[in-house]
Amino acid sequence: MVRAGDKMPADGIIESGSTIADESAVTGESRGIVKDVGDSIIGGSINGNGTIQVRVTGTGESSFLAQVMELVRKAQDEKSHLEVLSDKVAKWLFYVATSVGIVTFIIWLLIADLPTALKFTVTVLVIACPHALGLAIPLVVSRSTSMAAQNGLLLKRRSALEVSSHLNKMVLDKTGTLTEGKFDVTGVESFFHYTIKEVLAFYGALEKTSKHPISTSIVNYISERNIPVRDAQETENISGKGIRGLIDNQEVQILSYKAIMHLGFNIDPKVIKPYQEQGNTLTFLTVDGILVGMIALGDTVKSDSAEFIKSLKNRGITPIMMTGDNKDSAKAVADYLGITTYFAEMLPSDKEKKVAELVAQGDQVAMVGDGINDAPSLASATLGIAIGAGTDIAIESADLVLINSRLKDILYFLDLAKNTRSKMVQNLIWGAGYNILAIPLAAGILTPVGFILNPAAGAILMSLSTVIVAINAMTLKMK
């Protein structure tokens, strides 16, 4: 038995009762799903307002969530771990220093004496100590990680900084990432001489008798505002159109947009266009055949989403939207935000395959998501970015977590990554260049013209190069 408000403990089939399930974290569908006897439920989704008896069909490794986690594990295992360039250079420096030291010792032993040979050999080994190279990358990473945390960015994998400067595509989940992730009332309009409160009172009278997800959202909206609702008699559903009833001897109907258009009502396009652009569901209220009100419902697009998409395009990064939501909703949001490439009704495995396909084509792909259904694709992407308010599975699969759940923080991170890479290159050039110039000097190549480095001077130069690398790392800025 699963009571109202409980999380579904496992995959199963409803044997008795009915409810509205919230599967947004699992499938990406923001709207509540009506579930009746014989319908399947997914473990991890949230039971709505009904108590149901469920026959378990999937537990452990056979459950939906376990299959998602297996996709995540495989995707993470397939990720290549790039060797840090400074480590490679430091390794070769060891071989170079050893070889030059041996050659220096032999040459000076042949042309001078043992003390002279030892002095030059020691100077070579001291000055070739790869302190600067060893600290070139870690110091910059430490500084950038600290700056990222101060700006609400949690770096889980250091590779995130290295790959971000080459991104050319960014895949974004819709529900909870580009939108608020809640199917709520987004607007109320009143017509004729009716007020908003009167419209809502009529709506509440009819909708409180229904268990449809739209009805539930409207009733919750009205109750939150403490608006008293009227009583309705002789209520009945109008198949495929809406609901009707009698309120104070007035015939009241709540109708869909399609039904209201079929009846020939004229609606000001300026009123409904803003809602339609965001893919909202529109319902209309008539009283005795007169259109008196409208309620729009939907998953509201975040206020910063449009500007974020525009900024991505300006940076040469192509935005791609992937969602488990229906095609109509996906198209409306994509058109509203100016996203030309989008995919709807996608399962977690579909998202993961598409992201893996893009990566296999040679694209540098960032994936941004917050739900369980995003976890496999977050792990498969070149850079996985999780919304901080998302699920634990999504956060665990990501390379970067947006603690404040703000899309604009991604832009800050891209700037930080670009500057971080620049500092890394500068430190590597200094560290390697210092050794390339200093080792021949330490070996005594300029001795004929009177320039000689002793071991003490070599130690000072080696320490100075480390200080310079550290100072350069500390000058790193976000922008």
Side-chain angles (χ1 to χ4, degrees):
M1 178 182 290
V2 183
R3 293 182 174 83
D6 288 349
K7 182 178 290 188
M8 305 293 185
D11 295 355
I13 295 176
I14 298 177
E15 294 199 330
S16 67
S18 62
T19 188
I20 299 172
D22 178 2
E23 298 180 348
S24 58
V26 181
T27 65
E29 172 64 70
S30 58
R31 188 180 305 181
I33 308 297
V34 177
K35 299 287 185 178
D36 291 312
V37 174
D39 290 339
S40 61
I41 56 101
I42 300 174
S45 58
I46 306 299
N47 188 20
N49 55 4
T51 298
I52 56 176
Q53 292 278 355
V54 177
R55 175 168 54 85
V56 175
T57 59
T59 59
E61 295 183 358
S62 64
S63 69
F64 179 84
L65 291 183
Q67 293 173 28
V68 171
M69 289 303 297
E70 177 63 15
L71 287 172
V72 172
R73 186 192 64 78
K74 289 182 177 178
Q76 288 179 330
D77 287 344
E78 290 169 2
K79 269 191 170 181
S80 61
H81 300 281
L82 298 177
E83 209 173 353
V84 180
L85 182 58
S86 63
D87 291 341
K88 287 185 176 181
V89 176
K91 180 181 71 174
W92 284 108
L93 179 60
F94 165 78
Y95 296 124
V96 171
T98 302
S99 301
V100 173
I102 294 173
V103 172
T104 299
F105 180 80
I106 293 173
I107 292 176
W108 283 106
L109 185 62
L110 293 176
I111 65 176
D113 51 26
L114 180 60
T116 303
L118 287 173
K119 182 181 70 172
F120 282 107
T121 302
V122 170
T123 304
V124 168
L125 296 178
V126 168
I127 212 165
C129 183
H131 277 185
L133 275 174
L135 294 174
I137 302 301
L139 281 176
V140 177
V141 171
S142 177
R143 171 66 174 163
S144 61
T145 301
S146 175
M147 291 179 62
Q150 292 171 5
N151 288 273
L153 300 164
L154 176 60
L155 273 169
K156 294 186 62 186
R157 295 182 180 89
R158 186 170 66 180
S159 60
L161 288 166
E162 300 172 11
V163 302
S164 297
S165 57
H166 302 297
L167 296 176
N168 65 328
K169 290 185 179 177
M170 185 171 290
V171 177
L172 301 118
D173 173 50
K174 180 182 78 70
T175 307
T177 301
L178 294 172
T179 67
E180 297 293 348
K182 298 177 181 178
F183 189 77
D184 291 324
V185 173
T186 57
V188 182
E189 304 288 345
S190 62
F191 311 124
F192 207 47
H193 61 270
Y194 287 80
T195 65
I196 294 291
K197 284 190 174 181
E198 289 174 326
V199 168
L200 290 174
F202 277 120
Y203 262 101
L206 291 181
E207 297 290 16
K208 69 180 181 181
T209 65
S210 173
K211 290 186 177 181
H212 193 277
I214 289 179
S215 301
T216 301
S217 296
I218 292 175
V219 170
N220 290 339
Y221 180 86
I222 294 171
S223 63
E224 287 171 1
R225 284 152 183 77
N226 297 316
I227 296 175
V229 299
R230 305 186 182 192
D231 292 322
Q233 294 81 37
E234 300 180 21
T235 60
E236 64 174 323
N237 289 321
I238 308 172
S239 180
K241 296 181 179 180
I243 188 173
R244 65 166 298 279
L246 291 177
I247 302 175
D248 296 336
N249 294 319
Q250 296 173 296
E251 182 173 348
V252 180
Q253 296 184 95
I254 297 174
L255 301 171
S256 66
Y257 177 73
K258 184 177 180 180
I260 213 78
M261 289 293 98
H262 181 73
L263 293 174
F265 284 96
N266 293 319
I267 305 171
D268 187 352
K270 293 181 181 179
V271 174
I272 63 174
K273 185 178 179 180
Y275 300 112
Q276 290 177 323
E277 285 179 340
Q278 295 198 39
N280 286 179
T281 298
L282 305 181
T283 66
F284 296 86
L285 177 71
T286 67
V287 177
D288 287 336
I290 300 173
L291 182 63
V292 301
M294 179 195 85
I295 287 183
L297 303 98
D299 187 5
T300 309
V301 176
K302 289 182 178 179
S303 58
D304 59 346
S305 291
E307 184 63 31
F308 173 71
I309 295 300
K310 182 180 179 181
S311 297
L312 285 182
K313 292 180 177 180
N314 291 338
R315 292 167 182 258
I317 300 174
T318 303
I320 300 172
M321 188 179 78
M322 293 187 190
T323 178
D325 213 340
N326 62 78
K327 293 180 180 178
D328 291 338
S329 178
K331 184 179 187 304
V333 172
D335 290 344
Y336 179 77
L337 294 176
I339 299 175
T340 56
T341 305
Y342 65 92
F343 301 89
E345 299 177 356
M346 300 191 81
L347 296 172
S349 56
D350 298 329
K351 288 187 177 183
E352 192 273 337
K353 288 178 182 176
K354 177 57 68 173
V355 170
E357 179 183 315
L358 292 172
V359 173
Q361 291 174 358
D363 290 314
Q364 298 295 307
V365 183
M367 171 68 194
V368 187
D370 71 324
I372 294 171
N373 60 327
D374 302 317
S377 45
L378 284 170
S380 291
T382 310
L383 174 66
I385 304 174
I387 302 296
T391 62
D392 291 342
I393 294 177
I395 292 173
E396 181 63 28
S397 306
D399 303 306
L400 173 69
V401 180
L402 307 181
I403 298 174
N404 297 320
S405 302
R406 299 179 306 202
L407 290 174
K408 65 180 182 180
D409 287 345
I410 296 177
L411 302 177
Y412 295 153
F413 175 75
L414 294 179
D415 290 334
L416 177 61
K418 180 181 178 181
N419 294 338
T420 297
R421 182 175 177 80
S422 176
K423 288 295 181 183
M424 287 179 176
V425 172
Q426 291 171 19
N427 277 2
L428 284 174
I429 290 174
W430 170 257
Y434 153 78
N435 282 284
I436 291 172
L437 294 174
I439 289 177
L441 296 177
I445 195 171
L446 295 182
T447 299
V449 295
F451 184 85
I452 299 175
L453 280 177
N454 57 41
I460 293 173
L461 285 176
M462 182 269 293
S463 300
L464 183 61
S465 69
T466 304
V467 172
I468 291 174
V469 166
I471 292 175
N472 189 48
M474 293 306 295
T475 60
L476 175 65
K477 295 181 180 179
M478 180 72 81
K479 293 184 180 181

